[in-house]
């Protein structure tokens, strides 16, 4: 094998039911094939499912949670602060993962670990405490009902140190809201697919880490040379300072002008009052500082404070674009202070802001159209832009009160309770769609539909290229772009780095095999790494198929194929089903899958043999 460095070759496995914490060695073959992050997680989830004959309750003690950084996490190179949470999702019932930035993954590596795996259920609410080479499961029932930030502070007091990193769940995680997230570094979140609900089901309020170990690097001088080249490119990019000023908030104006901003529950593509909740409004009245994940010069996090009015004193990092769009225009809110407060609530209660915004928007439209009655809403009406009612509903979801108890189980539960809501909720595989309206771009619709975790933009963000280049695209060009994104983006998660330098500043993907080779000593090419990344996409497809998903689950939401966008630059656009099915056929063909979306038998043999 060619792995010379870059790993501690160590996995910490914790069985909460027995209290056993065991460090296990990882083979070079495993490290080379699966690289790290999402790759480690997908392989271990597959193996665990095989052992359980693919019969696992996502909120049961037998479900395996894998937390894995990558070999580049914490290394001297751009934006190297990523860590993946991987499991069977309680939101979708199939494969799920979510990536968290900040410093959590770095601290996990500095504790000498390449990954942490957790099964079982603690007898009472507890904190998993990893102090470099020592691991303890500390009962802390007094944390019940505490917000994420409050719980983090209490944990640090209990451990008599602030020199630690804490990943924590809020009330929503404790209540097993199926889209509960994991919060770290105040406002960094493993936001999608319900990873916080899994920790809640295991009676784990938080994971606290402290490590001081040097990270193994094969060629430090070579890594520094390559990193300096990449850093210099980023610093000199014409949009670099704009990113530092506004971060992802700059996308609000772009998306509204392009007609792809979710507005009034994906009815419209443009928000007439976007200027009241955009980056300029943030800069002029709310921003008080910058923040960044480990090793990132882009500093895209915005520290914001509400200085007056109803929400005075609200302070949070963010919102970034997804949260602002889903908690702003998608629910008709035109007050930046209200968006900030909703974002803070999601962070403190521990819920995915995309799913929250999607479900609240669907609830408003459902009531507006008479699908939901006033009695269904517990006697409390709600309308577009009614921020007080929206805040109340966010609390209800986290605490599972009234209608919030149904919403807390996600889109599929809502549709089971009120079947007509299927025409209003924009979701794929049970995951509420991210904040880009795919009716304007068939490639994005295909990307959402074929995403292994559901309608999430980080799998393949192709919409900008298609919108900007217009209609003159062939089916093959669209499909090729989706597959390339779905091959490259898992690689970033496997390596433990953020995608933003590549997607937003155009940092060449050719840097990444050189980073990887310098860290590990494995002289891999980009093609080599993409082959391994693509094999992970096959593996997660195999997992989903074995759990019962079929071609019918690679589907467009009703609104995408049957409800044209009402306003803006893309008014009238939708994706006809015959267009989509033609693209899906070609997509399966190019992936080497059969007509029902099953990967070839060779793909299963590869992962069963490793």
């Amino acid at each position: 094998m060619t792995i010379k460095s870059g790993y501690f070759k160590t996995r910490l496995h914790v069985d909460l039911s027995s209290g056993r914490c065991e460090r296990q060695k990882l083979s070079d073959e495993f490290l080379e094939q699966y690289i790290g992050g999402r790759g480690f997680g997908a392989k271990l989830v597959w193996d665990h499912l095989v052992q359980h004959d693919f019969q696992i309750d996502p909120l049961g003690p037998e479900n395996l949670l894998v937390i894995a950084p990558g070999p580049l996490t914490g290394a001297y190179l751009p934006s190297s602060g990523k860590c993946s949470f991987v499991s069977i999702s309680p939101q979708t019932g199939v494969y799920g993962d979510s990536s968290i930035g900040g410093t959590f993954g770095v601290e996990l590596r500095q504790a000498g670990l390449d990954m942490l795996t957790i099964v079982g259920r603690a007898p009472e609410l507890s904190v998993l405490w990893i102090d470099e080479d020592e691991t303890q499961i500390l009962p802390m029932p007094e944390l019940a009902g505490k917000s994420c930030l409050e719980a983090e502070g209490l944990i640090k007091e209990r451990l008599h140190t602030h020199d630690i990193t804490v990943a924590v769940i809020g009330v929503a995680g404790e209540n097993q809201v199926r889209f509960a997230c994991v919060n770290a570094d105040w406002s960094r979140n493993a936001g999608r697919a319900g990873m916080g609900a899994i920790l809640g089901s295991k009676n784990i309020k938080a994971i606290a880490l402290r490590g001081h170990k040097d990270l193994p690097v094969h060629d430090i001088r070579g890594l520094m040379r390559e990193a300096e080249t990449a850093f210099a490119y980023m610093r000199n990019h014409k949009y670099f300072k704009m990113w530092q000023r506004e971060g992802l908030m700059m996308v609000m104006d772009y998306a509204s002008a392009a007609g792809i901003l979710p507005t009034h529950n994906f009815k419209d593509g443009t928000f007439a009052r976007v200027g009241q909740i955009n980056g300029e409004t943030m800069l002029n009245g709310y921003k008080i500082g910058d923040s960044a994940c480990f090793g990132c010069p882009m500093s895209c996090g915005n520290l914001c404070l509400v200085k007056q009015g109803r929400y005075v004193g609200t302070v949070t990092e963010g919102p970034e674009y997804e949260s602002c769009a889903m908690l702003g225009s998608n629910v008709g809110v035109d007050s930046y202070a209200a968006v900030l407060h909703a974002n803070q609530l999601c962070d403190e209660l521990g819920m995915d802001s995309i799913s929250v915004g999607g479900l609240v928007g669907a609830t408003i439209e459902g009531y507006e159209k008479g699908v939901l009655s006033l009695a269904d809403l517990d006697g409390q009406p709600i309308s577009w832009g009614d921020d007080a009612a929206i805040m109340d509903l966010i609390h209800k979801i986290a605490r599972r009160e009234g209608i919030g108890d149904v919403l807390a189980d996600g889109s599929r539960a809502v549709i089971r309770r009120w079947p007509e809501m299927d025409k209003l909720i924009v979701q794929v595989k049970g995951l509420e769609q991210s904040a880009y309206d795919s009716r304007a771009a068939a490639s994005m619709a295909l990307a959402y539909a074929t995403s292994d975790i559901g309608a999430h933009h980080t799998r393949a963000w192709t919409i900008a290229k298609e919108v900007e280049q217009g209609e003159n695209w062939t089916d093959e060009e669209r499909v090729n772009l989706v597959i390339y994104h779905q091959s490259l983006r898992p690689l970033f998660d496997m390596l433990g780095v953020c995608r933003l330098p590549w997607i937003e500043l155009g940092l060449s993907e050719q840097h990444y095999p050189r980073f990887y080779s310098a860290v590990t000593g494995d002289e891999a090419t980009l093609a080599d790494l993409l082959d391994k990344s693509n094999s992970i996409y096959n593996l997660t497809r195999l997992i989903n198929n074995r759990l019962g998903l079929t071609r019918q689950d690679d589907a467009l939401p009703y609104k995408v194929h049957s409800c044209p966008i009402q306003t803006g630059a893309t008014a009238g656009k939708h994706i006809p089903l015959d267009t989509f099915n033609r693209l899906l056929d070609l997509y399966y063909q190019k992936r080497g899958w059969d007509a029902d979306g099953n990967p070839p038998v060779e793909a299963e043999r590869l992962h069963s043999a490793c």
Side-chain angles (χ1 to χ4, degrees):
M1 291 294 103
T2 55
I3 299 294
K4 299 181 177 69
S5 188
Y7 300 93
F8 292 96
K9 301 185 179 181
T10 302
R11 161 192 181 184
L12 174 61
H13 183 64
V14 176
D15 186 329
L16 297 166
S17 297
S18 67
R20 185 176 180 183
C21 305
E22 180 184 9
R23 295 193 176 223
Q24 303 168 346
K25 283 298 176 186
L26 301 171
S27 70
D28 284 357
E29 292 84 356
F30 174 83
L31 299 173
E32 187 172 28
Q33 179 62 41
Y34 296 99
I35 298 176
R38 197 200 299 188
F40 284 0
K43 168 59 173 170
L44 291 184
V45 165
W46 166 263
D47 289 346
H48 191 69
L49 285 168
V50 169
Q51 293 169 14
H52 288 265
D53 196 27
F54 291 85
Q55 301 294 318
I56 280 184
D57 176 1
L59 293 176
E62 70 277 8
N63 195 15
L64 176 73
L65 175 63
V66 181
I67 303 172
L72 303 189
T73 304
Y76 178 71
L77 54 93
S79 310
S80 58
K82 286 290 190 175
C83 179
S84 293
F85 283 62
V86 186
S87 192
I88 298 302
S89 166
Q91 189 172 9
T92 64
V94 293
Y95 173 84
D97 67 50
S98 193
S99 177
I100 194 169
T103 62
F104 182 79
V106 179
E107 197 83 22
L108 188 63
R109 296 205 72 211
Q110 290 175 335
L113 299 172
D114 297 305
M115 81 173 111
L116 165 66
T117 55
I118 304 172
V119 294
R121 188 175 194 269
E124 57 184 320
L125 194 65
S126 302
V127 172
L128 181 60
W129 169 223
I130 303 169
D131 189 6
E132 201 140 296
D133 295 325
E134 297 183 10
T135 305
Q136 299 177 68
I137 304 167
L138 303 176
M140 292 187 69
E142 66 272 21
L143 297 179
K146 303 298 184 186
S147 71
C148 291
L149 189 59
E150 185 179 8
E152 179 178 337
L154 291 170
I155 291 165
K156 290 177 176 179
E157 288 179 13
R158 166 79 176 269
L159 297 175
H160 307 293
T161 179
H162 285 263
D163 186 26
I164 60 175
T165 298
V166 180
V168 62
I169 63 172
V171 175
E174 292 179 48
N175 289 332
Q176 297 175 40
V177 173
R178 291 179 183 265
F179 43 88
C181 61
V182 182
N183 181 282
D185 296 320
W186 186 30
S187 295
R188 304 294 176 183
N189 291 283
R192 308 235 69 190
M195 298 297 127
I198 294 172
L199 281 180
S201 74
K202 296 183 179 304
N203 249 343
I204 292 297
K205 180 69 174 180
I207 302 166
L209 300 171
R210 178 166 59 190
H212 302 96
K213 294 186 178 182
D214 290 336
L215 303 185
V217 175
H218 174 68
D219 179 6
I220 292 178
R221 292 181 184 274
L223 176 63
M224 292 183 69
R225 283 195 302 270
E226 191 67 29
E228 286 296 340
T229 301
F231 280 126
Y233 169 86
M234 293 171 66
R235 284 194 302 269
N236 293 324
H237 195 280
K238 62 181 178 179
Y239 293 134
F240 179 68
K241 292 191 181 298
M242 184 184 298
W243 270 97
Q244 291 186 323
R245 285 196 307 272
E246 292 191 36
L248 283 157
M249 281 298 298
M250 74 171 70
V251 182
M252 289 296 294
D253 286 325
Y254 165 80
S256 189
I260 58 175
L261 178 67
T263 302
H264 303 125
N265 193 37
F266 289 90
K267 182 180 77 172
D268 303 309
T270 297
F271 190 44
R273 300 180 301 282
V274 70
Q276 295 171 217
I277 57 171
N278 64 358
E280 281 299 313
T281 294
M282 175 192 71
L283 289 173
N284 292 333
Y286 297 91
K287 183 169 179 176
I288 58 173
D290 294 309
S291 66
C293 294
F294 183 89
C296 185
M298 293 174 74
S299 304
C300 71
N302 300 299
L303 304 179
C304 291
L305 171 67
V306 179
K307 302 168 187 175
Q308 59 187 358
R310 179 190 300 176
Y311 301 112
V312 63
T314 296
V315 61
T316 187
E317 179 187 324
E320 46 74 60
Y321 167 73
E322 294 287 334
S323 298
C324 190
M326 297 306 291
L327 299 172
S329 57
N330 194 58
V331 294
V333 169
D334 60 8
S335 161
Y336 194 75
V339 173
L340 277 179
H341 192 70
N343 186 83
Q344 183 187 47
L345 281 181
C346 287
D347 283 347
E348 287 293 277
L349 295 168
M351 290 192 294
D352 172 15
S353 59
I354 297 175
S355 286
V356 168
L359 289 163
V360 171
T363 300
I364 297 172
E365 187 176 4
Y367 179 57
E368 179 185 60
K369 292 188 171 177
V371 178
L372 301 177
S373 69
L374 190 60
D376 291 327
L377 296 179
D378 311 313
Q380 299 177 9
I382 191 169
S383 59
W384 303 116
D386 184 352
D387 51 296
I390 290 167
M391 303 305 170
D392 183 64
L393 188 53
I394 291 173
H395 278 286
K396 281 186 168 184
I397 294 170
R399 303 183 192 284
R400 285 188 171 271
E401 297 171 350
I403 189 175
D405 192 33
V406 182
L407 297 176
D409 282 331
S411 290
R412 287 176 169 171
V414 173
I415 293 165
R416 284 194 298 270
R417 175 66 177 81
W418 300 285
E420 282 300 304
M421 290 294 287
D422 188 33
K423 294 182 178 180
L424 305 182
I425 293 181
V426 183
Q427 57 84 25
V428 174
K429 300 180 177 75
L431 187 73
E432 295 75 27
Q433 183 175 296
S434 300
Y436 298 95
D437 196 321
S438 63
R439 289 173 292 184
S443 65
M444 196 70 209
L446 179 67
Y448 281 142
T450 58
S451 167
D452 48 2
I453 68 168
H456 191 39
H457 67 288
T458 64
R459 276 356 206 203
W461 191 72
T462 63
I463 193 166
K465 187 168 184 179
E466 183 165 350
V467 167
E468 289 164 12
Q469 293 198 10
E471 301 291 336
N472 297 320
W473 277 56
T474 66
D475 286 355
E476 187 166 16
E477 287 172 324
R478 287 185 172 94
V479 170
N480 286 343
L481 182 64
V482 171
I483 291 175
Y484 185 70
H485 275 238
Q486 289 177 342
S487 300
L488 181 61
R489 283 172 170 243
L491 178 59
F492 292 138
D493 287 344
M494 294 163 77
L495 293 171
V497 298
C498 181
R499 69 193 183 279
L500 283 184
W502 168 69
I503 195 68
E504 302 296 354
L505 297 184
L507 182 68
S508 173
E509 53 265 60
Q510 293 294 340
H511 285 287
Y512 293 93
R514 294 194 282 266
F515 292 148
Y516 172 79
S517 297
V519 169
T520 67
D522 181 357
E523 294 297 327
T525 65
L526 179 61
D528 295 332
L529 296 181
L530 288 176
D531 281 345
K532 293 171 184 177
S533 176
N534 202 41
S535 77
I536 296 303
Y537 219 83
N538 279 337
L539 178 56
T540 58
R541 182 69 183 196
L542 286 167
I543 290 171
N544 288 350
N545 287 1
R546 291 290 293 271
L547 290 173
L549 292 196
T550 68
R551 180 188 176 109
Q552 301 306 311
D553 297 287
D554 291 341
L556 297 182
Y558 178 84
K559 281 195 171 187
V560 174
H561 62 74
S562 294
C563 301
I565 296 173
Q566 297 295 299
T567 62
T570 56
K573 287 198 172 185
H574 68 295
I575 309 298
L577 282 176
D578 58 347
T579 299
F580 172 71
N581 285 321
R582 187 177 69 242
L583 288 169
L584 188 60
D585 285 339
L586 183 58
Y587 173 89
Y588 285 171
Q589 177 188 329
K590 283 183 168 289
R591 275 212 169 274
W593 299 352
D594 67 22
D596 293 320
N598 297 300
V601 293
E602 291 79 11
E604 183 166 343
R605 288 184 188 138
L606 168 66
H607 297 294
S608 298
C610 290

